[in-house]
Structures are given as structure tokens and as C-alpha cells.
Amino acid sequence: MSEGDALDAAVGGTPTRRLLAEAAGRLRAGGVGSPEHDAAELLAHVLGTTRGQLVLVDRVEESTVGRFEVLVARRAAREPLQHLTGVAHFRHVELAVGPGVFVPRPETELLAGWALDAARAVLASGRGPVVVDLCTGSGAIARSIADELPQAEVHAVELSPDAHQWAARNLAGTEVDLRQGDFALAFDDLLGTVDVVVCNPPYIPLEAWESVAVEARDHDPHLALFSGDDGLDAIRVLARRAARLLRAGGVLGVEHADEQGPDGAGGGAPAVFAAIGDWLEVRDHTDLAGRPRFTTARLAR
């Protein structure tokens, strides 16, 4: 028995710092991109505390160590962190997530922020904004808008029955009108009345299968990931449907892949809207890393 093991046996438990270092090493060896962060999140989860409060925990009881190591092994096998904790943080809200629903990414928070700004501009003009979130998934964008701008009338739709159940859970207690169905056909009752359409659709090309991160490829629903040979099929449908939903002068924002910005093949997502006479002010926006991330456009008056 080493001197450290003897001390652990005498005092009880494992030093938190050592436990985290060893876990981070296993996660790094498994190819996890943020091993220190994920190790700390998993330990905080099993302890029922926050990552920031771990500095107050000197040692971890052996019964807890066992539970933690099970989760570390699963994360090292590239099971999504959010599936292990059951929680995804998005802007100012906490979402329940798990198998069957796309885990919202931090990059999408920028699209949600744009939608909020667009809705606030409508509110400033003296009208209550009507916002539609197509392909809502976990309900992340719809929930954020309802949370940060309660004056907005928010509608959301999701095709997958499994994802719809997660969205219903996350939107419970809000006034969001959540429906299950195909975004290409949804909200006939709102045609010509919507101020803001926002959408995080599937946009990965089928040929990019091998390049997709293991966490997404093996655990996110493929319905939320892949969209035709160039990844733009859903965006093409969106361009037509949003033109029917929006009132004259209404705006749309849609997320896309890095390679689908204006410098992408065929002009990427912006070219889809530029090619249709319904759309003006077609602009592309970058994420915090400077990568093309989402396109916005205004419906012609």
C-alpha cells in the first residue's frame, strides 16, 4: 500500500483533486475534448453541488467515488455529458435532455439572442411580437424567448415524438404553444401573421457522416442532424415555409454548418434565400469563434 493509499484508508475518502486529475486523464485518453471540465461537472453532479463549489470539497467518500467512476467510464466512451447529468444549460435556462433529443449547443445561443432582439424591436413598435420556433427539439430557443421576453407570443413545433416529449417537459409552465408535426406544414392558422421565425434545422450533409463527433453521431437523433447530400434540404423547405408564415417585413433566422456560410459551395445557406425573390437583407452571422453560423433575412414588403 502506498503512503497516499494508507492515508486515504486512515482518513476516509479520496482527495478531490486527485480524483478529478485521474478522471480527466481517462477522459482525455478517450478523446473527450474538455476532460477537466467534464470531470468536474460529473463529480459535481454525483455530489449534488455545482462545479464552482467543488473547491470546498476536500475528499470524496468511497461510495460516491464508485458512482463517479461509472459516469466517467461512460463519458470516456463518448456518451454525451448532458445525457449523464440529464441537464443542458442554454442562455439563462436549464433544460432536461436525454436519449431521443438533440442536445442544444452553445453556438445556438447566438441565434436565440438574435431572435430575442428581433422580437424586442417589434415590441418597441407597439405590438406584441409573434415568434415561431421551427424544429424546436428540446424547446431551447422557444423556452429562452418565453423566459427573457414574456410579452412575446411563442409557438413551437417538433416532428419527432421522442423530442416532442422532451420539449413538452421543458416548456411546461410556460405559455408556449407547442405542437407535434412537420415544420413544412405547421401553423396554417398563423399564415401571414408571424413577426419572427427562428429555426435550428438539420443541416449536416449525408456524406459528412464520418466527420461528425461521436457524441452527436451515435447519440443525437439523426432526424435532427442530416439533411440531404449538401445539408441544405431542410433550409430550402424553410425558405418557402417561412415566407408564408411571416407578415410583410417579418424576419427569419436559421442556423447552418460552418461550411454553409456565404463562402461555402454554391454560396451556402445565404444563397438559398438570395435565390428566392421573397427575401431581402440576406445576411450571414459568425459565432464567437468567427465561424459562419446563421443566416438572417427579411420578407419583402
Side-chain angles (χ1 to χ4, degrees), residues 91 113-125 127 129 148-149 196:
R91 291 183 67 87
W114 169 86
L116 278 159
D117 288 343
R120 289 187 181 107
V122 174
L123 185 63
S125 73
R127 283 193 300 106
E148 297 180 51
L149 192 65
V196 182

Side-chain angles (χ1 to χ4, degrees), residues 115-142:
L116 278 159
D117 288 343
R120 289 187 181 107
V122 174
L123 185 63
S125 73
R127 283 193 300 106
V130 178
V131 181
V132 167
D133 176 18
L134 301 177
C135 307
T136 195
S138 65
I141 294 177

Side-chain angles (χ1 to χ4, degrees), residues 159-203:
L159 176 60
S160 163
D162 291 337
H164 180 269
Q165 289 183 6
W166 286 105
R169 180 175 173 180
N170 289 319
L171 296 173
T174 74
E175 295 185 2
V176 174
D177 166 32
L178 173 65
R179 308 183 192 183
Q180 184 179 350
D182 187 341
F183 81 97
L185 304 171
F187 302 118
D188 274 349
D189 53 319
L190 298 179
L191 296 181
T193 68
V194 178
D195 296 294
V196 182
V197 169
V198 61
C199 183
N200 182 14
Y203 52 69

Side-chain angles (χ1 to χ4, degrees), residues 134 183-186 191 197 232-246 252 271-279 299:
L134 301 177
F183 81 97
L185 304 171
L191 296 181
V197 169
L232 295 172
D233 281 3
I235 293 178
R236 293 187 182 97
V237 174
L238 173 67
R240 297 293 185 185
R241 187 57 180 174
R244 297 196 64 200
L245 288 171
L246 289 168
L252 168 141
V272 172
F273 295 92
I276 301 175
D278 295 327
W279 298 103
L299 188 65

